[in-house]
Amino acid sequence: MNKYDVAVIGGGVLGCFAARELCRYELNTVLIEAREDVCTGISRANTAIVYSGYDTAPNTLKTEMCLRANESCHLLCAELGVKFKRCGSLMISLGERGDKVLRKKYEQGLENGVPDLKLLSGEEVCALEKGLTDKVTLGLLCPGTGTVNPWEVCIAAYENALHNGLHSRLGEKVLSIEKPDEGYALQTDKGEIFAKAIVNCGGLYSAEVREMCHRPEVRIFPKRGDYLIFDKSEGNVLSRVIFHEPEEKGKGLTAVPTVDGNLLVGPSELPLDGEWDFATTEEGMDFLMSLCEEILPSLNRDKLIRSFGAIRPNPFHVTEKPDGSYEREKRGINSFTILSDDEGAFLSLIGIKTPGLTCSHELGEYISAKIAEKLNAEKKESFDPIRPAPISLAKASAEERKKAAEANPLYGRIVCRCAGISEGEVVDAIARGAKTLDGVKRRAGTGMGRCQGGFCSTRIMEILARELGVSLSEISKDGGESFVAGGCCHE
């Protein structure tokens, strides 16, 4: 049996930051992830916004964490070598109902202590953002809002945790958890693991993981969302994140000028019935395109280069019915849901949604401190918070690219023409843990340009097969059965 002090279940952004922060202590920590790589679930598909804190209820843990995380995000991103842009945001309305909501958000933001909030007239908004409709009636300006690349943040936290001693068990699914006299016995599809404490960051399956050892209290009832990505030629349509408050209740438009130069629009919000997958919907994409036409008339909608689906993990308290089944309560949960057992050694983060990405580091600190206190663990002096940014030749000078190619000829062979990414950078991504086309994309940035991998995918598959020592038929787009070259058969 493999024995650890702490087992972190789930390799999304919450699990990776929990693992990183646990590595600050004298704790033998393992991260267990069912998929072949980290950042393959909820964390891979979100709006990439670093929120400021005016949209959360006053005097809550969520608001406290959001304010602190927003203020220090540039420092965290510098430590982890990832991109961060404090572009600011504008929440806009187009009528009386929306105006009322914005004024309420403004007052709430002041109460929360969000700095530099300002209400603007429609004319002032349109003077700042000329790509918006001239029908704007009111705007709420927040200079502190920022944006990151969620993949970069998650993977960087994971790599820094590995650097600081984290054990990693990828491609291993937890099947059951039992509670002996001390600690927890986890049965996986690859063996048995013992841990003195558990941090459950299982994403969509976090409630299921907790119920392996505890009675149901909170379950996830997810919703589906769609996103659109426009070419970098449209990245300058907006300079700030736009939140649109519609006149009718429901989802408005959110538009984000990303750190990579594209324009991200979404999400839609639709019910999710049946299988929890990340498929897009025609209904959701049509909804977003109609909002773009209304709110961003100057956007060239022919420059759409990609769409992708997301799942929003909405948590609800559940109550037991006389027949032993459980039903959800009508009112949703707006705060962060962190459940503990009586001993405080099994902590579950269930249905953590907006601003979960923003607060992932803060949540990691919060959880790790509780576990360290429970296990009487001291901080270790050797912890290194720095994760150097990977080589990115597209950002390098001509002289730097020349030197890199002279040192390693693979850096002189361009694989992804859209983004100027070399074979050497693809090989680096594989060495850092990429096993799929999307794993390389999330680390190196391939396949994110105008052609969306139309040119480079075949070559990257060849490099993956070579570096991993497998056949082309075993290379998948994003794990599971998403094989690209005809599929893979195993006995």
Side-chain angles (χ1 to χ4, degrees):
M1 180 188 293
N2 296 281
K3 296 184 177 182
Y4 302 94
D5 292 319
V6 190
V8 178
I9 301 174
V13 69
L14 296 177
C16 289
F17 269 106
R20 177 184 187 250
E21 295 309 308
L22 284 163
C23 287
R24 292 182 185 269
Y25 297 90
E26 297 291 350
L27 291 168
N28 186 20
T29 302
V30 63
L31 185 142
I32 308 169
E33 165 56 45
R35 290 285 303 274
E36 76 290 338
D37 200 356
V38 297
C39 200
T40 56
I42 300 170
S43 300
R44 73 179 184 180
N46 62 63
T47 320
I49 297 171
V50 178
Y51 289 89
S52 62
Y54 70 74
D55 203 28
T56 54
N59 304 312
T60 62
L61 178 64
K62 181 184 284 190
T63 294
E64 177 188 334
M65 286 186 172
C66 190
L67 290 169
R68 193 163 59 237
N70 179 279
E71 182 180 9
S72 62
C73 191
H74 65 292
L75 300 175
L76 174 68
C77 290
E79 281 186 348
L80 294 176
V82 300
K83 299 184 290 293
F84 170 70
K85 180 167 65 172
R86 199 178 291 281
C87 54
S89 66
L90 270 168
M91 190 175 191
I92 63 169
S93 54
L94 280 69
E96 184 177 344
R97 179 192 171 274
D99 292 354
K100 185 177 179 180
V101 172
L102 262 63
R103 291 191 176 94
K104 182 178 179 181
K105 299 289 187 186
Y106 173 69
E107 295 297 333
Q108 182 171 272
L110 293 180
E111 183 177 352
N112 288 348
V114 179
D116 303 321
L117 289 178
K118 187 177 180 181
L119 285 173
L120 304 178
S121 68
E123 292 78 10
E124 290 174 316
V125 167
C126 292
L128 285 178
E129 295 289 351
K130 301 187 185 305
L132 290 172
T133 173
D134 59 7
K135 296 179 182 178
V136 174
T137 55
L138 193 66
L140 175 56
L141 176 65
C142 181
T145 304
T147 182
V148 294
N149 182 325
W151 308 339
E152 287 186 347
V153 173
C154 183
I155 292 170
Y158 173 67
E159 291 180 352
N160 186 239
L162 290 176
H163 174 66
N164 283 286
L166 175 71
H167 299 273
S168 178
R169 299 174 73 109
L170 302 181
E172 185 164 355
K173 184 178 181 179
V174 176
L175 302 176
S176 66
I177 302 173
E178 295 183 357
K179 181 72 176 73
D181 292 338
E182 293 184 4
Y184 300 87
L186 295 81
Q187 184 65 48
T188 77
D189 57 359
K190 293 186 178 179
E192 196 171 3
I193 295 170
F194 174 84
K196 296 177 184 177
I198 291 175
V199 175
N200 169 20
C201 299
L204 291 173
Y205 304 97
S206 53
E208 180 181 314
V209 169
R210 186 175 189 275
E211 289 172 26
M212 292 178 180
C213 207
H214 301 90
R215 69 174 184 82
E217 287 186 56
V218 173
R219 285 181 172 171
I220 295 171
F221 298 85
K223 288 189 175 182
R224 183 191 302 277
D226 299 282
Y227 286 90
L228 307 176
I229 300 178
F230 291 87
D231 187 64
K232 292 181 179 180
S233 63
E234 301 303 295
N236 60 359
V237 169
L238 296 170
S239 59
R240 297 168 181 82
V241 174
I242 298 299
F243 302 109
H244 159 231
E245 181 62 35
E247 278 305 283
E248 296 182 2
K249 286 187 177 181
K251 198 74 174 174
L253 183 75
T254 298
V256 182
T258 72
V259 291
D260 295 308
N262 299 91
L263 186 69
L264 172 69
V265 171
S268 60
E269 188 172 82
L270 296 168
L272 179 60
D273 299 319
E275 187 175 355
W276 294 0
D277 60 36
F278 288 83
T280 55
T281 66
E282 184 177 358
E283 179 184 357
M285 290 187 287
D286 287 346
F287 169 76
L288 292 176
M289 289 296 271
S290 66
L291 282 179
C292 286
E293 184 176 0
E294 176 187 359
I295 305 301
L296 300 174
S298 61
L299 176 66
N300 185 347
R301 293 180 293 283
D302 291 336
K303 296 293 185 177
L304 175 68
I305 61 172
R306 187 174 181 82
S307 63
F308 64 90
I311 299 177
R312 184 176 178 84
N314 295 306
F316 288 81
H317 288 289
V318 293
T319 54
E320 188 173 5
K321 296 167 65 176
D323 63 0
S325 64
Y326 286 83
E327 64 179 356
R328 78 179 196 184
E329 296 181 359
K330 291 183 178 180
R331 187 173 181 178
I333 300 173
N334 293 320
S335 184
F336 288 146
T337 305
I338 304 173
L339 300 181
S340 173
D341 62 4
D342 294 336
E343 297 182 4
F346 192 132
L347 301 181
S348 294
L349 286 75
I350 300 182
I352 304 294
K353 55 182 183 180
T354 306
L357 173 64
T358 303
C359 298
S360 53
H361 176 237
E362 300 293 326
L363 285 163
E365 285 187 329
Y366 180 85
I367 291 294
S368 63
K370 286 188 173 295
I371 294 294
E373 181 179 10
K374 173 65 182 176
L375 299 183
N376 297 312
E378 300 291 332
K379 284 200 171 183
K380 58 186 181 188
E381 296 180 1
S382 61
F383 180 81
D384 179 9
I386 304 301
R387 178 266 198 179
I391 291 175
S392 179
L393 294 181
K395 303 173 187 175
S397 66
E399 184 62 27
E400 289 170 330
R401 292 196 294 271
K402 180 181 177 182
K403 288 182 179 180
E406 289 173 348
N408 181 351
L410 294 184
Y411 290 125
R413 301 175 188 170
I414 297 301
V415 173
C416 174
R417 291 182 177 179
C418 292
I421 297 168
S422 67
E423 181 174 348
E425 291 163 271
V426 173
V427 171
D428 289 345
I430 297 168
R432 290 164 50 208
K435 300 178 180 67
T436 64
L437 279 172
D438 281 359
V440 172
K441 175 174 71 174
R442 292 174 189 134
R443 288 169 174 83
T446 51
M448 293 177 64
R450 185 172 296 182
C451 84
Q452 288 293 295
F455 175 80
C456 64
S457 290
T458 301
R459 181 62 185 131
I460 294 170
M461 287 176 62
E462 293 171 348
I463 298 170
L464 274 162
R466 182 191 73 204
E467 296 297 313
L468 297 176
V470 299
S471 67
L472 278 174
S473 65
E474 295 176 81
I475 301 302
S476 67
K477 180 183 183 298
D478 193 23
E481 299 296 317
S482 61
F483 299 111
V484 182
C488 176
C489 298
H490 298 283
E491 293 183 359

